[in-house]
Amino acid sequence: MDGFAAVDFGFAREVLQRGIAVLYLVAFVSTFNQFRPLLGEHGLLPAPVLLDWVAQKRERRKLLHPTLFTRVRYTDRRLVALCGAGIVIAALLIAGVPQLGPPWVPMLAFLVLWFGYMSVVSIGQTFYSFGWEMLLLEAGFLAAFLGSNDQPPPTVVIVLFWWLLFRLEFGAGMIKIRGGREWRDLTAMTFHHETQPMPGPLSRQAHLLPRWFHKLEVVGNHVAQLVVPFFLFAPLLSLWMPGPVPQIVGAVAGGIVIATQLWLVLTGNFAWLNWATIVLGFSAIGLPGIETPERTPETSLPWTVSGMPLWWVVVTSVVGVLFVVLSVPAVRNLFARRQLMNASFHRWQLANAYGAFGTVTRERIEIVVEGSDDEEGRHWREYEFRGKPGDVRRIPRQFAPYHLRLDWLMWFLPLGHSLDDWFSVFLVRLLEADAPTLRMLRVDPFHGERPRWVRAVTYRYRFTTRAEHRADGAVWVRTGRRVVLGPVGLR
């Protein structure tokens, strides 16, 4: 740290800029593939219907976060064009092309990504209601002010990344401590690997680890989320304290965050939540002399401060002041009795409150969708999803950081008091053998033909023990079959 310039955080900037750009690339690819069948003109929850309803009354616009589609009418083609532009810009940032120019070039590139993706999230309804959507938006906004390669990163922006990571980790830790008893009696991870929304290929092995290890997981989580985040700010002490100790402390804190997130990456599929946290963790790692441009003597150039143009120092300082003001509700929320989880306090989704998994379910209930092509409905065949459990012999795949939105919402369905409206439309699309809908699935048992009936059945799923797996090769055991909807057909 050197006043306005975070001279030892050039490597951190490289990881932040390129890492966040990778996540935007994944987000736009996910949107390109899934938005139209989920939310497009003929989707399960058509975005044009929402936008038309909002347009009927001026005051309804306040219910939406800012979106391009209140100014430009939504069409599926325009959505595709937006995704294409986002993919191209993100790819350029990953390659480091905008960073070769003056600081306003990467700034504009990231701001375009930020507003473009916010335009999607704002009309994404329940399919875009995940906390990592606003996390990506806030990270993208901050990345816009990291500057370009010919100058050191601004101290204020690096500190704002620490503040984002602090809210993310400490907020999640507080949600857990105030949430389910399982986080306090250290049993949460005994169930988590089995009941998490979308298990990965190593989730079963993690679940079968001894109970004492699961208790250590919980203790490690509490330390990583409730203690370690405070040490992210240690490098600020280097402004007054000479020597490498403050930066070492900050780097160790960032390293602990990264290590705990890598374990979650190995044992689950949480879209880009864990990967975003890993990228943010690198913001605390300062490496003297690594990827830091040579400092130009301030006396040789007018209007420079700490090797940065004066106008850029002013811009980044204004961003810092803006976040100080916007962060007041988030700070209050961290220490509120009724802490909000994944909440935005204003329309632009900056300085948000974060948190996840305040409670852990103890059993896994899966909704399995079946179809029948005979008039009497005697023979039923299962539709299989790409990520959610279905076939008991199929090993879960690794999809993260890619986000399978339909599969995630299927996990939430059994937790509600009633089936969501989108699910009824989904069943109609299956009865119609709608090609875009079927492409989101892993297996269509009718190979593009229309079934006569469909229905929804619930099972309780659990991982097989080692002995059960050796006996028949199954990954899951499912019991307690119950029909919860149907049979239903088209008239």
Side-chain angles (χ1 to χ4, degrees):
M1 293 290 180
D2 183 16
F4 290 100
V7 294
D8 295 329
F9 289 83
F11 173 75
R13 175 173 62 188
E14 289 290 324
V15 175
L16 288 168
Q17 288 179 324
R18 295 172 193 255
I20 292 170
V22 168
L23 298 178
Y24 269 97
L25 178 66
V26 172
F28 277 113
V29 169
S30 169
T31 298
F32 177 84
N33 290 334
Q34 300 177 63
F35 192 95
R36 285 168 290 170
L38 295 176
L39 296 145
E41 295 171 277
H42 304 288
L44 306 184
L45 294 176
V49 174
L50 171 66
L51 290 165
D52 288 343
W53 178 80
V54 168
Q56 291 173 6
K57 293 184 179 180
R58 194 183 201 110
E59 57 270 20
R60 289 178 180 172
R61 289 198 172 192
K62 297 180 181 179
L63 300 177
L64 277 186
H65 292 293
T67 174
L68 175 69
F69 296 113
T70 56
R71 303 291 181 181
V72 178
R73 183 167 182 80
Y74 174 91
T75 66
D76 285 349
R77 287 187 176 182
R78 288 172 178 164
L79 185 279
V80 169
L82 176 61
C83 291
I87 290 169
V88 170
I89 294 173
L92 289 172
L93 284 163
I94 294 168
V97 175
Q99 296 92 309
L100 297 175
W104 60 265
V105 177
M107 180 187 74
L108 287 181
F110 273 110
L111 289 180
V112 169
L113 292 181
W114 168 68
F115 186 72
Y117 194 62
M118 183 161 56
S119 294
V120 172
V121 174
S122 298
I123 60 174
Q125 302 169 76
T126 190
F127 290 104
Y128 279 77
S129 60
F130 301 91
W132 48 76
E133 312 287 7
M134 66 173 67
L135 173 62
L136 183 58
L137 289 173
E138 184 170 352
F141 181 85
L142 289 177
F145 302 97
L146 282 168
S148 52
N149 294 346
D150 63 350
Q151 58 192 249
T155 297
V156 65
V157 180
I158 293 296
V159 173
L160 288 177
F161 271 105
W162 300 342
W163 172 230
L164 170 56
L165 183 56
F166 180 90
R167 280 179 283 124
L168 178 63
E169 288 291 275
F170 188 71
M174 292 298 290
I175 282 284
K176 293 177 176 66
I177 287 295
R178 292 166 169 161
R181 180 180 176 182
E182 61 273 12
W183 287 109
R184 295 187 293 276
D185 64 17
L186 307 184
T187 61
M189 300 304 288
T190 304
F191 309 101
H192 166 78
H193 297 296
E194 182 177 75
T195 64
Q196 63 182 304
M198 195 181 302
L202 298 179
S203 297
R204 177 177 166 274
Q205 286 78 0
H207 174 70
L208 295 176
L209 291 170
R211 292 208 168 198
W212 63 262
F213 184 85
H214 293 315
K215 289 187 176 183
L216 283 181
E217 284 184 287
V218 180
V219 173
N221 179 88
H222 290 333
V223 172
Q225 293 190 326
L226 294 173
V227 179
V228 171
F230 289 94
F231 293 94
L232 294 170
F233 301 96
L236 283 175
L237 296 176
S238 64
L239 294 172
W240 305 279
M241 182 187 301
V245 173
Q247 285 190 193
I248 291 174
V249 172
V252 170
I256 293 173
V257 171
I258 292 169
T260 55
Q261 294 300 313
L262 284 173
W263 174 245
L264 296 175
V265 167
L266 288 173
T267 59
N269 272 300
F270 293 95
W272 54 77
L273 173 62
N274 305 127
W275 285 109
T277 310
I278 289 170
V279 171
L280 295 177
F282 277 94
S283 67
I285 298 178
L287 301 175
I290 303 295
E291 294 295 333
T292 302
E294 293 184 9
R295 297 287 303 279
T296 302
E298 295 185 21
T299 56
S300 65
L301 289 174
W303 307 105
T304 61
V305 178
S306 298
M308 298 183 292
L310 178 60
W311 69 270
W312 187 241
V313 173
V314 172
V315 168
T316 54
S317 298
V318 169
V319 171
V321 173
L322 172 68
F323 264 80
V324 168
V325 175
L326 295 179
S327 294
V328 172
V331 173
R332 289 174 178 169
N333 182 68
L334 284 174
F335 301 99
R337 288 186 177 180
R338 296 184 178 180
Q339 181 186 355
L340 299 177
M341 181 174 68
N342 297 326
S344 180
F345 301 102
H346 56 88
R347 300 182 70 230
W348 296 98
Q349 302 192 69
L350 302 174
N352 308 304
Y354 299 100
F357 291 95
T359 59
V360 175
T361 54
R362 292 180 174 244
E363 64 177 8
R364 182 180 203 93
I365 303 297
E366 287 287 346
I367 289 182
V368 174
V369 180
E370 299 176 334
S372 174
D373 56 0
D374 61 82
E375 192 66 32
E376 295 78 17
R378 293 178 180 174
H379 306 286
W380 294 89
R381 288 179 275 176
E382 294 183 13
Y383 290 90
E384 288 192 29
F385 292 75
R386 295 182 183 275
K388 73 181 288 296
D391 180 359
V392 295
R393 292 179 177 272
R394 183 162 62 94
I395 298 174
R397 288 179 55 193
Q398 188 69 39
F399 288 96
Y402 191 80
H403 189 6
L404 293 174
R405 300 177 185 280
L406 179 62
D407 297 61
W408 263 81
L409 286 192
M410 287 295 296
W411 180 81
F412 282 105
L413 277 182
L415 304 181
H417 299 293
S418 61
L419 298 179
D420 294 349
D421 291 341
W422 66 264
F423 185 67
S424 300
V425 182
F426 173 67
L427 295 181
V428 172
R429 294 289 187 269
L430 296 182
L431 289 166
E432 297 170 340
D434 178 64
T437 301
L438 293 174
R439 280 196 292 270
M440 291 192 295
L441 304 178
R442 177 176 176 267
V443 173
D444 167 22
F446 303 101
H447 309 290
E449 299 297 323
R450 292 187 176 190
R452 179 66 182 86
W453 307 100
V454 294
R455 68 183 182 185
V457 180
T458 60
Y459 290 93
R460 179 186 179 273
Y461 275 68
R462 67 168 176 82
F463 280 130
T464 55
T465 63
R466 292 183 177 90
E468 289 169 332
H469 182 68
R470 284 194 298 268
D472 58 9
V475 177
W476 299 96
V477 172
R478 67 183 191 182
T479 56
R481 179 178 176 278
R482 185 167 67 94
V483 177
V484 294
L485 179 64
V488 295
L490 296 176
R491 292 182 180 179

